Each structure stands twice: as C-alpha cells, then as structure tokens.
Amino acid sequence: MRRPHLGSLGQCVPLAVLVTVAACGRYDFEPLDGGGTDAPLEAVPSCETWGPPSVLANLNSVAEDWGPSLSPDGRALVFSSTRNSMRALYLSRWSAQGWMSPVPISILNALAGSEDGPAWSPDGRELYFQNDSTGQFQIWVSAYDPSTGAFSTPMKAPGLEATAAIAPFVRADDLELMLTDIAQGDLLRSTRSSPTDAWGPPMPIAELNTGVMEGFSTLSPDGLTIYIEFHMGAVLDIGRASRPALDQPFGAVSRVGELSSPSEDGDPDVSRDGRTLVMYSARPGGAGAGDLYLSTCL
C-alpha cells in the first residue's frame, strides 16, 4: 500500500548534529558544544542553503521508506515503511557505530489500520503520528522514554479527538501544531496557550493553501520558516516560506532547489538545532521505491 502522499491521494537535552564522512559513506555523531533545547528560539536562525541530500543507506529497504523524524537530541529517528507489507513505524537509535538497524515500534503498530507521519515533541518525550483505525486518519500521541527507547500505549492527541488530519509537526515552543487536511490537501494550524493544554481547533493556513495540494510541513527552530511538500506542476517537491513573526502570515512558497530532483521529493523534517534536514525521495540511487535522505546546512 502506497503512503498517503498528497500526490497519491520540558526536559532539556543536548542537541546534536549528523555529519557525513564522505570517504567511508557513513554518518557520524557529534554533540554541539553548549547546545541545548533551552536556547532562545530567536537565537537559532533558519538555514539559507542546504547541502546535497545523501541517502541513509543503512536505514532503507527495498520497499518504500518515508516520513523521517529526528529526535531533538539527534539520537533517535522514527520513520514509516512498508518493508513488512503494511505501513508501520520503525525506530533507529544512534550508537557509537552509527545508526542501529531499524526495529518496528510494536506498541504503536498494534493499532488497527496503518501508522505514518511521526513527529517528536520538542522535549523528545512524546511522539505524534497518524493512524486510520477509526476509518479516517487521526492524530495520536505516545510517551517516550529516551533512556530505554520504550513507548507507551498511544492515545488520541488531546483536543484533536474528533479531527481528521495527518502529518503532525510541533513547533519548538510546544504551542503550535502543524497538520495536513488530506481531504482538501491543505495545511492546518492548531495552537494552545500552554504545553499542558489540549490543542485548539485546527484552522487553515490560508496564505499557503493554493488549491494544488500542500502538506507534510516542518518548521525551523525559530518557527519563522516553514518547509512543505507541494506540487510544482506534476512533480512532488519541497518548498519553503517565511514569516516575519510568529503571529504574522507566511509569504509566498518557493522551491528549495538544492533538495530537489526530477523524482518525488517530500516529507522534510528539520532538526531542533536547525542544521540537519531529513527527507523522503524517490530519486535514483536508493534501495527501494522511496528512501530516506539527509542534508546538512551549509
């Protein structure tokens, strides 16, 4: 079963970056000096230019892999895959040897239907995702223990129990949740006053919804730049738009050329330090019908 692409439809932890070691084709992990999720959001600028995406070969399969989400500390990556026929969520954790072999997240995949669209909370202690066990895609959430890698039994996201939506992404201050209305192909926004509150009713992001299907969004750490999956003609691509302040509308969407290929590209996810972007692409050179890629800010 193909993924539901738009085209086919508070604890602070050290931040980290992933850097490519081109000579041996693997990814190494380096903690940032003095970094942390308690840094002011405005102190983390949006990336101006991304480097060429590199395939995450040891995470991909001959099936389709997509929807990557990197944890705030950079030590866990969750994504969706059809490697065992059904759409399901997989977890890879970082070790001294690199990314460990992905394992299915059984307690989340035990829900009826399929699981997709994972997104970490800003503190890395919750995972949001979508599931269609009720007959429509809805947003669920599960608690995560970084010390053990264990997830809790999931529940519908508070405040969104009656909402049909996909592709969650939580802003770094935990007060804004980006979603996608798969029926309309539109971007939605839900807000709340406190991280302990339930989410409010999702509202369309009117300035970004053009009628040609937009979704699967991610935000820069300062919340001022949004990356989305959208259509450039018949091609699924990654776009970007900016806003001058959190309470202001976004400007026009432009294609992120350095991340694009002649094939499908989508599912962008920007790390909490703003230096790494993971994504999906169907470009040649991967293992299957769609693969996970990583780009670093230049």
Side-chain angles (χ1 to χ4, degrees):
M1 181 184 297
R2 189 169 175 79
R3 59 156 297 186
H5 257 317
L6 294 178
S8 58
L9 328 165
Q11 176 177 347
C12 296
V13 291
L15 286 176
V17 293
L18 297 171
V19 293
T20 306
V21 181
C24 55
R26 60 184 286 262
Y27 293 88
D28 283 338
F29 180 86
E30 294 181 355
L32 288 178
D33 294 334
T37 53
D38 55 348
L41 297 181
E42 63 271 16
V44 184
S46 301
C47 181
E48 295 292 333
T49 305
W50 295 99
S54 300
V55 66
L56 287 166
N58 55 323
L59 299 184
N60 293 315
S61 69
V62 295
E64 192 170 24
D65 304 293
W66 65 85
S69 184
L70 190 64
S71 65
D73 65 0
R75 296 180 181 269
L77 190 144
V78 175
F79 63 96
S80 305
S81 179
T82 56
R83 61 189 62 195
N84 287 322
S85 298
M86 291 295 294
R87 279 200 304 269
L89 297 175
Y90 287 77
L91 169 70
S92 176
R93 301 182 74 190
W94 185 261
S95 72
Q97 290 73 44
W99 289 110
M100 300 171 66
S101 297
V103 295
I105 308 175
S106 299
I107 195 169
L108 306 187
N109 297 333
L111 292 169
S114 59
E115 293 75 35
D116 199 355
W120 294 94
S121 63
D123 64 1
R125 293 186 173 274
E126 289 183 319
L127 185 79
Y128 290 79
F129 65 98
Q130 68 205 41
N131 171 271
D132 61 352
S133 58
T134 63
Q136 61 182 358
F137 277 108
Q138 292 183 287
I139 305 303
W140 293 67
V141 63
S142 168
Y144 175 71
D145 184 345
S147 64
T148 64
F151 291 89
S152 70
T153 300
M155 59 182 287
K156 291 181 182 179
L160 302 177
E161 294 89 348
T163 299
I166 62 172
F169 181 85
V170 187
R171 196 174 73 197
D173 61 4
D174 213 357
L175 301 180
E176 184 176 38
L177 174 67
M178 301 302 191
L179 299 165
T180 301
D181 180 342
I182 195 170
Q184 301 298 321
D186 284 343
L187 290 160
L188 306 173
R189 173 198 291 121
S190 174
T191 59
R192 58 186 178 184
S193 299
S194 165
T196 59
D197 291 343
W199 291 105
M203 303 297 292
I205 308 178
E207 69 271 21
L208 296 179
N209 295 327
T210 65
V212 295
M213 308 185 81
E214 298 88 8
F216 294 90
S217 59
T218 183
L219 290 168
S220 59
D222 61 7
L224 300 182
T225 299
I226 188 170
Y227 293 82
I228 67 171
E229 179 181 293
F230 78 132
H231 276 83
M232 287 289 290
V235 180
L236 190 68
D237 218 329
I238 294 175
R240 173 171 53 193
S242 297
R243 56 185 173 184
L246 296 180
D247 60 353
Q248 297 297 309
F250 289 98
V253 176
S254 61
R255 176 174 168 269
V256 186
E258 63 267 29
L259 300 178
S260 298
S261 74
S263 304
E264 280 191 351
D265 301 295
D267 287 347
D269 181 74
V270 176
S271 64
R272 294 299 178 182
D273 64 4
R275 308 302 297 172
T276 300
L277 183 146
V278 285
M279 57 180 280
Y280 154 92
S281 181
R283 68 188 65 192
D291 296 284
L292 306 179
Y293 283 76
L294 179 146
S295 173
T296 54
C297 187
L298 297 179

